[in-house]
Amino acid sequence: MFNKIKVTISNAYFKIIPNFQYRLQSFTSMYNMSIKNFIPKLLLGCLLVMNVLQINAQQKPNILWITCEDISPFIGAYGDKLVKTPNIDLLARDGVRYNNVYTTAGVCAPSRSAIITGMYQTSIGTQHMRTGGDPKFLPVPVYSAVIPDYVKCFPEFLRKAGYYCTNNEKQDYQFQAPVTVWDENSPAASFRNSPANKPFFAIYNLFITHESQLFGRKDSLLLDSNKLNVPPYYPDTKIVRHDMDRLFTNIERMDSQVGELIQMLKDDGLYDNTIIFFFSDHGGALPWMKREILERGTHIPLIIHFPGGKNAGTVNDDLISAVDFAPSVLSLAGVQIPAYMQGQAFLGTQKAKTPRKYVFAARDRMDTEYDRVRMVKDKQFQYLYNYMPEKPYYQNIEYRLSIPMMREFLKLRDEGKLDSFQAAWFKTKPVEELYDVVNDPHELYNLANDLKYKNKLIELRTAFQTWTKTVGDMGSIPEKEMIKQMWNGKNEPPVTDTPEVINTGNGIKLTCKTKGASIGYRVIKQGIPPQPELHTVQSWDFGFVANKIKNGDKLLAAPVWNVYNGETISIQAGDTLRVNAMRIGYKAAVINYVGGK
């Protein structure tokens, strides 16, 4: 028995501290000692191993995501001469600027679904914009998408690996997230609440650049509208220039918020040892930008700051998809990437051996309006396949009509005052489109019928077909039928099976018959009332922008659910074990286990 213990501990210690072979020899010598001398030293060795394991855990990198909404790379670091973004530019000088990063959709919810799961939204049934929200914008009942049972939100894997994970605070994943995804999700969620012995993964969402703020804000504009370059697909009018100025002003104000957040890291001594991502959830907010899967709807900024200034000031031109973010974070954190993930890591120890050749995107229902378009792009050319060519490009989306320039666009259309490029938005589509985005960045000239580009058309068409066959496309199923399949033919979502509590005699084990259910638990000690925790609100999301919350206020933190990972749970007589089991898309099952019942 002692020989087995000796080898196990020695090998563990040897692996944890490379080049310390003498440690192995030290443990081996213990075997020749008497049991009287051996036991205390064995215990000391165990403590040393535990100490090293703790140090090793603390060396996992802190990771922070700064996500903004609805912007293309209208940023100084990307060459914009008018929009002033000094804080983001400084982050780029301290980090790496990625030039060819694309989202899988031109609108938030489907895109965010891909980001949080590492799966294309079309492959898991989260492709329609959106599954929840105001019913007047929905032609179907509100639903939480039932995604494949093996798919999880990636922060759950980080939590199992010892990370403290927070989200501040927009989710919009097309489904209700299980309690196992975040330690905290609120306007007070922060890396500052992380226990001292845990690395953190924290997200802050900055709302000010969202489409709604094109018509929802009345503060002063910061740019000179007369100096803006109006793209040829827009009519050059005072209202168009005003709304462009509003978008760019919102970006400048967002940059100040980035500066505040980075200063928090610096004040806490964390800036130099935190991996910081800055990116947008999809492309630009203006009409004929947002919702499109053209260059202007899917191309986003991505800047990453690495600890110690690694690769500071450099530029990366690899093709990257936002579906790659999840596996890349797991790779950076030293967590095994699940085999099912469709994204590929572009960072960390599990970085893909070859960069991407293509990125892909999809467009499906937008509010009440149906369409189905797919996109594939290499570094120069973009291919689109229109499943519904009989429909015009333009969709009459009620929410967007609040934007002044959208109303003017329609007025000028009705008056016959749009030129051919601008009027094209209201015409029907060809089945295939091909654009040279390097030489035609506004995508004005469709090359699909140009024989000079026949080989490129065939190449990208083949890539699109291969991608569709590989990952699947649930957009081919009418949405109402898809929901019916998700709900097993019923009129309401399935319910997760009641979790089972197994008393092993040495503690509690948990299980659930619903395949793919995530299990969270909390132990409520008898006679010890839960101690309320007040966290400080520090947010730049919708609640802050809409003046519904005030930074600096105190907020009662919700109790934290532990992620069950097969461990034996110790509870005392009279304690309450609260268990929450949920498969994504199903209703959760919650039980209290007290005194063996």
Side-chain angles (χ1 to χ4, degrees):
M1 179 182 73
F2 289 133
N3 187 53
K4 183 176 180 180
I5 294 173
K6 172 204 70 175
V7 172
T8 301
I9 294 176
S10 298
N11 286 344
Y13 198 44
F14 181 67
K15 288 178 181 177
I16 294 166
I17 308 184
N19 302 323
F20 279 23
Q21 291 92 338
Y22 69 88
R23 298 290 187 186
L24 181 61
Q25 296 169 358
S26 174
F27 275 108
T28 303
S29 65
M30 290 182 186
Y31 185 57
N32 299 320
M33 298 177 184
S34 66
I35 292 177
K36 180 179 178 180
N37 292 327
F38 174 67
I39 293 297
K41 294 196 175 184
L42 175 62
L43 293 174
L44 176 60
C46 290
L47 290 172
L48 287 170
V49 171
M50 291 171 65
N51 184 56
V52 173
L53 285 170
Q54 184 179 17
I55 293 171
N56 189 54
Q58 291 173 343
Q59 290 176 343
K60 287 180 177 291
N62 296 318
I63 303 172
L64 178 77
W65 277 10
I66 306 173
T67 65
C68 65
E69 307 222 20
D70 302 13
I71 71 164
S72 301
F74 303 127
I75 291 170
Y78 283 85
D80 195 289
K81 303 299 183 184
L82 292 177
V83 184
K84 297 178 177 62
T85 52
N87 294 292
I88 300 172
D89 297 350
L90 179 59
L91 190 68
R93 288 196 293 273
D94 287 351
V96 180
R97 187 186 81 218
Y98 292 82
N99 282 340
N100 289 301
V101 184
Y102 294 81
T103 52
T104 63
V107 69
C108 51
S111 176
R112 287 172 178 267
S113 171
I115 290 170
I116 199 67
T117 62
M119 303 286 285
Y120 292 105
Q121 68 274 12
T122 48
S123 73
I124 60 174
T126 57
Q127 69 273 13
H128 294 294
M129 178 64 192
R130 57 172 44 91
T131 63
D134 191 335
K136 79 174 183 177
F137 297 128
L138 289 169
V140 295
V142 170
Y143 65 101
S144 179
V146 179
I147 66 177
D149 56 60
Y150 50 83
V151 176
K152 305 283 188 181
C153 297
F154 79 88
E156 185 169 317
F157 298 115
L158 292 173
R159 293 192 68 203
K160 286 182 177 180
Y163 269 79
Y164 179 79
C165 297
T166 65
N167 185 53
N168 188 329
E169 73 171 316
K170 184 174 182 177
Q171 297 188 28
D172 210 11
Y173 306 143
Q174 305 280 55
F175 50 77
Q176 180 183 344
V179 297
T180 47
V181 179
W182 301 109
D183 284 276
E184 183 174 5
N185 183 88
S186 81
S190 174
F191 59 86
R192 286 182 162 173
N193 302 324
S194 175
N197 63 340
K198 281 193 171 189
F200 64 76
F201 171 67
I203 300 178
Y204 285 84
N205 190 69
L206 314 183
F207 188 79
I208 192 172
T209 51
H210 186 265
E211 175 187 34
S212 61
Q213 302 308 294
L214 294 174
F215 55 86
R217 297 187 67 82
K218 305 301 179 185
D219 50 349
S220 61
L221 300 177
L222 300 178
L223 281 73
D224 183 348
S225 299
N226 294 319
K227 293 182 179 180
L228 301 179
N229 295 315
V230 179
Y233 48 83
Y234 289 152
D236 190 349
T237 69
K238 184 177 180 180
I239 291 177
V240 169
R241 286 179 173 274
H242 176 277
D243 285 0
M244 290 181 63
D245 196 345
R246 168 56 63 195
L247 170 62
F248 298 149
T249 292
N250 291 347
I251 292 174
E252 290 196 358
R253 297 194 192 284
M254 179 269 291
D255 177 80
S256 296
Q257 297 171 353
V258 172
E260 292 179 51
L261 186 45
I262 289 175
Q263 190 60 49
M264 286 171 58
L265 289 170
K266 291 181 176 179
D267 290 345
D268 293 359
L270 294 170
Y271 180 75
D272 291 329
N273 62 4
T274 299
I275 300 173
I276 306 169
F277 285 57
F278 168 82
F279 63 92
S280 176
D281 61 351
H282 56 80
L286 296 170
W288 211 0
M289 283 187 181
K290 184 170 181 173
R291 301 175 182 84
E292 308 299 330
I293 52 174
L294 298 168
E295 183 81 1
R296 55 187 178 262
T298 58
H299 187 203
I300 61 169
L302 172 66
I303 295 168
I304 303 180
H305 163 275
F306 295 95
K310 181 181 178 183
N311 299 323
T314 61
V315 174
N316 183 295
D317 288 323
D318 290 344
L319 273 175
I320 294 170
S321 172
V323 78
D324 301 332
F325 292 179
S328 296
V329 168
L330 295 179
S331 179
L332 288 168
V335 177
Q336 183 65 40
I337 300 171
Y340 69 76
M341 279 193 176
Q342 294 163 348
Q344 64 178 55
F346 61 92
L347 296 168
T349 57
Q350 300 167 76
K351 178 180 177 180
K353 293 181 180 178
T354 56
R356 281 183 170 274
K357 189 174 182 180
Y358 308 110
V359 291
F360 304 91
R363 174 183 181 134
D364 291 88
R365 174 176 60 79
M366 299 290 163
D367 293 356
T368 58
E369 306 303 308
Y370 283 95
D371 200 351
R372 187 177 174 216
V373 189
R374 299 295 179 261
M375 181 273 276
V376 57
K377 184 186 180 298
D378 63 16
K379 286 189 177 181
Q380 182 171 356
F381 291 92
Q382 187 176 63
Y383 169 89
L384 295 106
Y385 187 87
N386 294 297
Y387 282 96
M388 300 178 179
E390 73 281 2
K391 291 178 176 285
Y393 293 101
Y394 171 77
Q395 292 178 313
N396 190 37
I397 296 171
E398 181 181 342
Y399 185 81
R400 185 168 57 193
L401 294 176
S402 297
I403 303 174
M405 68 177 283
M406 184 68 255
R407 297 194 298 271
E408 183 178 49
F409 218 134
L410 295 175
K411 176 176 177 290
L412 295 175
R413 176 201 63 179
D414 295 342
E415 294 173 351
K417 295 181 179 179
L418 299 178
D419 66 25
S420 60
F421 293 132
Q422 298 151 12
W425 195 18
F426 303 97
K427 297 184 182 301
T428 56
K429 309 180 288 288
V431 173
E432 294 182 301
E433 300 175 65
L434 180 69
Y435 298 101
D436 179 346
V437 298
V438 172
N439 296 301
D440 177 24
H442 298 304
E443 294 166 287
L444 303 176
Y445 302 99
N446 182 10
L447 305 174
N449 294 322
D450 191 326
L451 292 178
K452 289 188 298 185
Y453 298 94
K454 180 180 178 180
N455 290 339
K456 179 57 68 172
L457 179 71
I458 293 172
E459 176 197 336
L460 296 183
R461 178 196 294 150
T462 302
F464 152 66
Q465 293 170 343
T466 301
W467 172 65
T468 302
K469 291 177 182 177
T470 301
V471 306
D473 192 339
M474 295 183 70
S476 64
I477 308 171
E479 188 175 15
K480 289 182 179 179
E481 176 60 29
M482 183 185 74
I483 297 170
K484 188 175 181 180
Q485 292 178 16
M486 289 178 172
W487 290 358
N488 299 324
K490 297 182 179 179
N491 294 322
E492 59 182 5
V495 179
T496 307
D497 286 309
T498 301
E500 298 179 29
V501 178
I502 303 168
N503 194 330
T504 67
N506 295 320
I508 300 298
K509 291 277 191 178
L510 303 175
T511 186
C512 182
K513 290 181 179 178
T514 300
K515 191 175 181 182
S518 295
I519 302 176
Y521 70 92
R522 304 197 326 254
V523 177
I524 303 171
K525 306 298 290 183
Q526 182 185 33
I528 304 177
Q531 297 298 312
E533 258 188 68
L534 292 176
H535 289 171
T536 303
V537 172
Q538 187 63 57
S539 182
W540 298 271
D541 209 331
F542 172 76
F544 170 77
V545 171
N547 294 316
K548 293 181 179 296
I549 58 170
K550 183 179 179 182
N551 284 342
D553 286 351
K554 298 295 183 180
L555 185 69
L556 184 64
V560 177
W561 292 87
N562 300 296
V563 185
Y564 185 67
N565 197 25
E567 68 271 22
T568 299
I569 304 168
S570 296
I571 61 172
Q572 304 299 319
D575 290 350
T576 298
L577 178 65
R578 185 162 294 168
V579 184
N580 182 310
M582 178 181 168
R583 175 182 167 182
I584 292 176
Y586 282 34
K587 293 181 180 179
V590 183
I591 63 168
N592 289 327
Y593 176 83
V594 186
K597 298 181 181 179

